[in-house]
Amino acid sequence: MTTTSAKSTGYLDLFAFGLDTDALRSISVLDDIWRDAVLQALPERDNDPVLKEFIEVSSGLVLFLADPDWQKYWLAAWHKQASRGFRLTELMTFFYRAVEICEHRILGTDRLVARLNVDLFSLLRRSVLAAVSATVELDEEARLAESGIPGELAALQYLHQALKQGLPVSLLSVSLINRNAFAHLSAGELQTLPALFAERLAHRLRPQDLVFSGREGEWLLVFPGVSSMVQPSLAGAHIQQSFAEPIRLISGRSIALDVAMGAAMGPEHGADADALVQAARLARWDLARTRQGFGWYHRDLHCDWQQHDELAAELKLALHQESFQFYLQPQVDINSGVCFGAEMLLRWQRENGEWVAPPLILELLEENGWRQMFTDSLIRHALRSSAELEAAGVPVRLSLNLTAADMVDTDLPDMIAQRLETWQIPGDRFMIELTESAMMADQIRCLSVMERLSDLGIGLALDDFGTGYSSLSYLVNLPFREIKIDRSFITAMARSPDSLRVVRTIIDLTHDLDMVPLAEGVEDPAQLEQLRSLGCDQVQGYLYARPMPLAEFIQWMQARPA
Ligand code: C2E
Ligand code: CA
Ligand code: CA
């Protein structure tokens, strides 16, 4: 087998992980120990040929990582495992455990060897990462290729044509409800779900009916030529019926799915394509209130919508008057106890005194096309706050939350650069937090925006890590400096060994990639101690302080021992 060129042989980009021929040669001394460790770390299931094959291939990782043949076997073996519901985090955890076993073995027998090989285990972990990261990308590609259903734009075009020609047309907006109940499904199971879902739908439609994919988790079913409520209602009932039976996943597990369907008819319920789609969605959203699975659009819905509109109007005013506030929550160095930064969190109180949850505000901003205006005001606010902090003698770093759309806005870096210039504040006083979904949209444009922000000295943090797709390629290909471990893992850590292992894996992985981990939602001293023992560097949470207004934050800082 060839192991000469270790750059981008075959399917894996080893170079991106800092693995060259020398690095691979140096870890090959671990081959024997690795093989044993894999056996020990991977779950045992007697007489399971797929798992056996996977273990066999995995045990060759140290020696054959750069070999295209081995890579091919590895990817095939992984695909088989994934389709049976083997999760990525599980995979990472097992392999990191294998590395740990190797580490322990060597440390236990020969301290000198261990000291000589300080970087050896980091190299080994990088090798594991390199192998795993390619598998994720391939899975993603396969998933996209598989679905192949035309999107919302195509639906709008079709509806536009039909309405223009005066043809009647009906529409269903369909979505899976209770999506949270899917949280316990594995990545493999989740990936196959849309295909199974589409398959069930297809059985219930006439040949001339059309299926489009709408927003995330939404399908738009179009019934050409249908001007009565009968056909869509019938289809709705059939679909509902077919979902009464649990779906059998590839893993063999069965789950019960519920659907929500909103129906609308053109031109009665909407004279143009946008209005018609909107009407069907309104009908579907209303089902959350009535707890039914199917409903037609009716005029009263517009009254609810009116409340929604009032909220939006008030929001618009707040945007123009800049009456939003941003509270600050301290971020603390775990060893020194020093507060080095704060996260800016949006707060908005309505005229009637009600506080509106930040995610709802963001949704409204996005929906109405005000996001850019909001981002602009957020950045202005950040600079002003930073100057105030400096004047108060507490020039800490500020973390800003930006969204997916901000990251493809190629004017953003220039806008920020100008502001930094005006205020004479160095870029490294700011950090930008992004969630994984923020990077899914358009990685290339994202990358260029992120690189230009980095050039300004602004740090980038990956927010809510562990909750999304956790595609490892983001970590390697995008210039992140910090990883924020999601609160859900920190909360679960005390009672779930699995979560503890995930936290440990994320911390090790972050260090291997020369980044800094920050644990979110730390609420009690026991969590803090646990994080300290795992080597986590930074923390944030109610244990230190809740988010508070700028003036209060300054007092809080000034009251702390230096
Ligand atoms: P996030 O970025 O993950 O922010 C952390 C959330 O956890 C905040 O909720 C914070 O108040 C809360 N939190 C912090 N420490 C603890 C703790 O120890 N225990 C518990 N239970 N919660 C804690 P918040 O302020 O309600 O914000 C919710 C989300 O809204 C944020 O999640 C972020 O995604 C979004 N968001 C908030 N402000 C902005 C903003 O200015 N721009 C953007 N794009 N998104 C924002
Ligand atoms: Ca955040
Ligand atoms: Ca977060």
Side-chain angles (χ1 to χ4, degrees), residues 491-536:
T491 312
M493 204 169 54
R495 50 190 161 71
S496 145
D498 277 349
S499 296
L500 181 65
R501 224 173 286 133
V502 171
V503 172
R504 188 196 164 116
T505 299
I506 298 175
I507 292 172
D508 285 349
L509 181 151
T510 309
H511 285 146
D512 288 339
L513 297 170
D514 291 328
M515 293 184 266
V516 185
L518 187 154
E520 293 190 294
V522 179
E523 293 184 351
D524 62 57
Q527 291 169 336
L528 185 71
E529 277 324 302
Q530 194 133 44
L531 287 163
R532 200 195 300 277
S533 74
L534 294 176
C536 185

Side-chain angles (χ1 to χ4, degrees), residues 343-345 399-401 433-435 463-464 484 520 540:
E343 177 173 3
M344 279 177 50
L345 292 157
S399 289
L400 286 59
N401 291 285
E433 299 190 359
L434 295 166
T435 59
D463 206 352
D464 303 343
K484 299 192 79 177
E520 293 190 294
Q540 175 182 347

Side-chain angles (χ1 to χ4, degrees), residues 331 342-343 375 378-379 382 397-403 406-407 412-413 416 420 427-435 438-439 449-450 452-454 456-463 479-484:
Q331 297 177 326
E343 177 173 3
T375 304
L378 175 128
I379 288 164
R397 186 188 86 180
L398 286 178
S399 289
L400 286 59
N401 291 285
L402 293 188
T403 63
D406 292 314
M407 279 303 108
L412 183 80
I416 295 182
L420 290 173
D428 62 10
R429 287 280 166 79
F430 301 97
M431 194 84 185
I432 288 178
E433 299 190 359
L434 295 166
T435 59
M439 268 98 35
V449 170
M450 289 169 83
R452 282 161 63 207
L453 291 171
S454 286
L456 295 172
I458 298 172
L460 296 161
L462 184 52
D463 206 352
F480 285 111
R481 213 177 280 171
E482 190 178 284
I483 306 256
K484 299 192 79 177

Side-chain angles (χ1 to χ4, degrees), residues 262-306:
M265 197 164 30
E268 289 85 343
H269 298 150
D272 62 47
D274 274 319
L276 192 59
V277 171
Q278 182 76 319
R281 280 184 182 148
L282 264 179
R284 175 166 60 78
W285 288 333
D286 191 53
L287 297 172
R289 192 176 52 78
T290 59
R291 294 178 177 275
Q292 285 177 338
F294 181 92
W296 276 93
Y297 169 83
H298 54 90
R299 248 201 243 136
D300 293 348
L301 287 179
H302 263 302
C303 294
D304 297 342
W305 202 240
Q306 211 167 354

Side-chain angles (χ1 to χ4, degrees), residues 21-207:
T21 318
D22 285 347
L24 292 174
R25 199 173 298 130
S26 69
I27 59 165
S28 67
V29 301
L30 293 172
D31 184 46
D32 285 346
I33 300 179
W34 171 256
R35 285 173 190 276
D36 282 349
V38 165
L39 277 180
Q40 222 177 308
L42 279 165
E44 255 181 82
R45 250 177 274 159
D46 289 341
N47 303 324
D48 179 340
V50 179
L51 186 65
K52 219 166 137 198
E53 183 192 339
F54 185 67
I55 292 178
E56 227 170 85
V57 180
S58 303
S59 60
L61 187 142
V62 158
L63 221 47
F64 301 122
L65 183 62
D67 186 311
D69 284 336
W70 178 84
Q71 294 176 3
K72 208 162 66 190
Y73 294 136
W74 155 262
L75 292 172
W78 156 257
H79 267 289
K80 278 191 214 162
Q81 274 296 93
S83 65
R84 301 190 322 158
F86 202 58
R87 280 188 237 202
L88 183 70
T89 40
E90 254 174 294
L91 181 76
M92 283 304 299
T93 309
F94 284 128
F95 279 138
Y96 267 51
R97 208 153 92 203
V99 179
E100 219 180 299
I101 294 169
C102 294
E103 220 172 331
H104 186 74
R105 193 68 72 73
I106 289 191
L107 265 170
T109 54
D110 194 337
R111 284 176 186 281
L112 183 69
V113 176
R115 234 180 305 134
L116 286 176
N117 291 310
V118 189
D119 292 332
L120 198 59
F121 302 107
S122 173
L123 275 178
L124 184 58
R125 278 196 291 259
R126 277 169 199 248
S127 305
V128 166
L129 272 180
V132 172
S133 123
T135 61
V136 181
E137 258 154 56
L138 286 187
D139 278 356
E140 182 70 14
E141 272 169 32
R143 207 169 55 85
L144 286 177
E146 249 167 45
S147 84
I149 303 171
E152 181 167 345
L153 201 62
L156 288 171
Q157 277 164 353
Y158 179 84
L159 292 170
H160 177 72
Q161 284 304 329
L163 291 167
K164 210 170 81 179
Q165 291 164 17
L167 298 173
V169 62
S170 294
L171 174 73
L172 281 187
S173 156
V174 185
S175 81
L176 294 170
I177 52 176
N178 257 339
R179 284 170 67 82
N180 283 346
F182 301 141
H184 65 280
L185 294 186
S186 73
E189 286 170 332
L190 272 178
Q191 279 173 10
T192 50
L193 205 54
L196 291 171
F197 186 59
E199 197 181 286
R200 283 223 173 170
L201 285 184
H203 286 315
R204 304 292 160 174
L205 300 177
R206 308 169 306 167

